[in-house]
């Protein structure tokens, strides 16, 4: 809350304090088609607007005189005590959001400085070993897009283990890219494909699939990437194989149906990550509205959540609906655009200051007090 007190004392903040302000400033800064990549989504984009609207339909019941002047926002996640129940959701091709193309390292540095865990995307522009090393003592997680090549998938997981990542998050909702009109309109994908190769070209199995070293023939490396990126044939039958790849905590991202939660539990996963990918993948798939049923079906298994979190109050609401930890997506992407590591740290500080004050002013001193009955439906 240093930021809050600095503001009360009359200090002007370095960056905009609200999501709307961050969004506008980032839009002014970015090349148009890259802006469309980060901010855009599937179909007519009502899915991503719906994510924000879903939060607006909830209010937080205020309780007075409950002695919430000192708050504790810490939570335990897979044996790690986090000082706050948030994390950096995986964002691919983060390098397009910073001047020097090292957006992954910039994000890892923000994670190290803030103690907020990073989930590092398969589509890193920096090799995962370097990103993991930059995380310092903050636990990091590796997000796997399961390639259409089992040996490559296994190699990614081995590298993640050797680098010190503390868990594997398998994203299931992106076996092919969503129907994103803005990206298709600008034909942005080849540029992004070229930009996100570092984690692949630093992989021994990926390199073994190439006729020439990637530096000599980048086009062939990009083509190989396109051949192996997604795996449309992956089904529940493959879960045993995925589970068998690692003893690290294994989470499935994109699970929003209670029956899928039960199947995931049967397959021995350690956590569920409820998300609609920020409305970028399946059009019209809700996220927040499905969270309570996912939490119920998880029966105590940790449930991570993202999609539409724009403020500290949103964090409080997702926690009250049962999330164990809440993922920040586009807001930190815009922080990266505006100020690299410092911008991301700033955004996280704002979100946490607001979450903390929202809890305190509403009379809740700990995360454990945030249960479903602290929320009330707002009538339209
Ligand atoms: C993403 N997301 C994502 N998810 C993932 O599992 N792997 C990835 O590489 C990416 N890449 C990616 C790029 C960009 C530009 C965005 C905005 C998002 C989805 C991300 O993890 C998260 O689910 C959403 O960002 C949450 O929605 P909001 O809060 O950003 O709207």
């Amino acid at each position: 809350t240093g930021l809050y007190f600095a503001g009360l004392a009359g200090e002007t903040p370095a960056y905009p304090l609200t999501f709307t302000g961050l969004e506008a400033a980032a839009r002014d800064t970015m090349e148009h088609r890259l802006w469309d990549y980060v901010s855009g989504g599937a179909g007519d984009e009502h899915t991503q607007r719906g994510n924000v609207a879903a939060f607006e339909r909830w209010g937080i019941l205020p309780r007075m005189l409950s002695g919430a002047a000192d708050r504790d926002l810490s939570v335990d996640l897979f044996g790690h005590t986090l000082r706050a129940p948030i994390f950096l959701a995986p964002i691919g091709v983060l390098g397009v959001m910073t001047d020097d193309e090292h957006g992954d390292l910039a994000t890892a540095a923000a994670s190290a400085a803030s103690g907020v865990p990073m989930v590092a995307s398969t589509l890193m522009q920096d090799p995962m070993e370097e990103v993991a090393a930059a995380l310092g003592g903050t636990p990091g997680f590796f997000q796997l897009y399961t390639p259409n090549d089992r040996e490559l998938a296994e190699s990614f997981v081995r590298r993640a283990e050797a680098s010190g990542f503390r868990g594997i998050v398998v994203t299931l909702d992106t076996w092919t890219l969503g129907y994103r009109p803005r990206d298709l309109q600008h034909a942005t994908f080849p540029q992004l494909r070229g930009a996100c190769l570092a984690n692949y070209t630093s992989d021994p199995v990926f390199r073994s699939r190439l006729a020439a070293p990637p530096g000599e023939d980048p086009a062939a490396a990009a083509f190989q990437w396109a051949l192996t990126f997604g795996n449309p044939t992956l089904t529940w039958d493959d879960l045993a194989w995925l589970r068998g790849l690692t003893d690290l905590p294994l989470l499935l991202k994109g699970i929003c149906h209670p029956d899928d939660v039960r199947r995931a539990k049967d397959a021995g996963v350690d956590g569920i990550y409820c998300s609609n990918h920020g409305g970028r993948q399946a059009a019209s798939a809700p996220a927040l509205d499905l969270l309570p049923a996912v939490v119920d079906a998880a029966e105590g298994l940790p449930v991570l959540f993202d999609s539409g979190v724009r403020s500290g109050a949103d964090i409080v609401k997702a926690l009250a609906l049962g999330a164990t930890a809440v993922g920040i997506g586009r807001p930190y992407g815009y922080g990266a655009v505006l100020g690299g590591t410092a911008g991301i740290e700033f955004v996280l500080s704002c979100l946490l200051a607001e979450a903390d004050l929202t809890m305190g002013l509403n009379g809740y001193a700990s995360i454990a007090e945030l249960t479903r009955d602290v929320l009330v439906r707002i009538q339209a």
Side-chain angles (χ1 to χ4, degrees), residues 71-92:
R71 272 89 54 198
D72 177 7
L73 269 68
S74 66
V75 286
D76 288 324
L77 189 66
F78 304 121
H80 310 287
T81 302
L82 309 181
R83 68 178 251 267
I86 63 169
F87 63 94
L88 296 157
I91 292 189

Side-chain angles (χ1 to χ4, degrees), residues 130-201:
E130 291 176 28
V131 174
L135 291 173
T138 307
F141 296 80
F142 174 68
Q143 178 263 319
L144 177 72
Y145 277 136
T146 315
N148 193 10
D149 176 338
R150 281 195 170 197
E151 274 180 52
L152 179 58
E154 186 161 355
S155 181
F156 281 149
V157 172
R158 292 288 155 269
R159 290 172 61 199
E161 289 174 336
S163 317
F165 284 103
R166 311 294 179 83
I168 307 289
V169 173
V170 182
T171 298
L172 300 174
D173 59 18
T174 313
W175 49 268
T176 188
L177 289 172
Y179 185 79
R180 298 183 202 161
R182 295 206 231 176
D183 290 338
L184 295 168
Q185 190 80 47
H186 303 309
T188 316
F189 289 126
Q191 179 183 354
L192 297 172
R193 194 156 54 226
C196 73
L197 281 175
N199 200 35
Y200 287 79
T201 54

Side-chain angles (χ1 to χ4, degrees), residues 5-26:
F5 288 113
L8 288 186
E11 228 173 83
T12 309
Y15 308 98
L17 284 171
T18 62
F19 178 77
T20 324
L22 288 169
E23 196 179 34

